[in-house]
Amino acid sequence: MRHPVLWTLTAAAALGVAGLGTRRVRSDRRAAHIEADLLAGPSAPGVFSSDTIVGLPEPAQRYLRHAIAPGTPLVPAVRLEMTGTMTPTPDAARVALRAVEVLAPRRGFVWTAEARMVRVPVRVRDHYFEGEGGVHVALLGLVPLPFSGAPEDLARSARGRLVGEAVWCPTALVGPGVLWEAVDADRARFTLAVDGVPICVTIRVGPDGALREVTLDRWGDVGVAGFRPIPYGFAVEAEATFGGVTIPTRIRGGWWFGTDRFDPATAATFTVASARFGAP
């Protein structure tokens, strides 16, 4: 006959696992709801043509002509599948991951990654939607790990990531609501307001308009005491075209990009395997 104390502990453990499972199901349902909302968001009217970028600075026009084929619908969102590597902390080992991201640059994103840390399966979900954002990490996909930072700081950081990754959905960078300005012959800066907060991102393009580099000041606390604007960005190492839209398919970068504090050896790398624009 099983000992009453052992039975009690076993039952408690089972209830704990069940509770964690329920929490994951709720998280997945909310993420799926946000993803569907972002993908179904309203598109800008019409399709891309030279008329839609009249008056923009020359580097911006060069980039958008390269990135969007004439006649392509100006959809607001994209679903990406990617692989990558990153270093969770400066002294940690590099971690390989697979991820899916739904990105609507004017509204929000959900990024869900699966990885292994010290042979333990880990799931990471980063998101921003309707003013709320943050990172959730779970061991075995169930046990949540604490993540430092006040909710307002995490949301502000996530909002910066959202706009910085807008180049994965350049169709959202055409039309009213995006302010473009020239920086020099090969660089342009766009400003996109998300939930009333303007975020500025600088791009550098080649002679053919191909994207070479993306930089911004993103709210974070990497390598500093307390949250503050930190240089952030990435270099584009490859590109491909999906449904008339050309986007980066291999990037390398992270915090302190473009400064002497950026270490290429610990830089994050991401390779996009597929991209689907608009609702399925």
Side-chain angles (χ1 to χ4, degrees):
M1 182 175 181
R2 178 172 292 184
H3 194 282
V5 174
L6 180 60
W7 171 253
T8 300
L9 292 174
T10 301
L15 288 173
V17 172
L20 291 172
T22 299
R23 179 173 180 168
R24 170 163 178 166
V25 169
R26 289 176 178 171
S27 174
D28 288 347
R29 285 177 178 171
R30 172 165 168 74
H33 171 76
I34 294 173
E35 290 173 352
D37 191 304
L38 295 176
L39 288 170
S43 302
V47 297
F48 182 77
S49 71
S50 295
D51 293 340
T52 59
I53 56 174
V54 168
L56 297 188
E58 193 281 329
Q61 291 197 35
R62 197 190 327 159
Y63 161 64
L64 292 169
R65 286 196 181 98
H66 176 84
I68 312 173
T72 301
L74 297 175
V75 297
V78 62
R79 182 184 186 275
L80 304 160
E81 295 184 4
M82 66 185 73
T83 58
T85 63
M86 61 190 306
T87 306
T89 60
D91 57 346
R94 184 169 288 275
V95 175
L97 58 85
R98 302 182 67 87
V100 173
E101 180 170 11
V102 171
L103 171 74
R106 299 180 183 232
R107 300 182 60 216
F109 75 95
V110 178
W111 182 79
T112 303
E114 305 282 348
R116 283 183 175 270
M117 297 177 63
V118 197
R119 299 184 180 180
V120 177
V122 177
R123 189 175 74 157
V124 182
R125 177 166 285 147
D126 195 357
H127 77 285
Y128 178 87
F129 185 66
E130 295 183 340
E132 189 267 335
V135 181
H136 303 280
V137 183
L139 292 178
L140 304 173
L142 292 173
V143 183
L145 297 180
F147 201 87
S148 63
E152 58 271 23
D153 287 322
L154 297 178
R156 186 171 178 179
S157 181
R159 189 163 49 235
R161 171 180 174 170
L162 167 66
V163 181
E165 294 182 357
V167 294
W168 270 331
C169 188
T171 48
L173 295 176
V174 178
V178 185
L179 175 65
W180 284 93
E181 54 186 322
V183 176
D184 56 33
D186 293 319
R187 292 187 298 163
R189 180 182 299 113
F190 66 84
T191 301
L192 183 60
V194 179
D195 295 324
V197 180
I199 307 291
C200 299
V201 175
T202 300
I203 62 170
R204 181 171 63 85
V205 299
D208 60 350
L211 191 64
R212 295 286 184 261
E213 192 175 271
V214 175
T215 56
L216 68 148
D217 287 335
R218 180 182 171 192
W219 196 248
D221 65 346
V222 178
V224 294
F227 279 79
R228 49 164 275 194
I230 297 176
Y232 181 86
F234 52 86
V236 177
E237 299 179 343
E239 65 178 17
T241 302
F242 303 89
V245 184
T246 300
I247 61 172
T249 51
R250 188 169 67 246
I251 65 172
R252 182 183 302 271
W255 297 99
W256 299 101
F257 182 79
T259 75
D260 57 7
R261 294 188 62 174
F262 177 71
D263 182 2
T266 61
T269 65
F270 291 99
T271 300
V272 173
S274 69
R276 186 190 70 217
F277 291 86

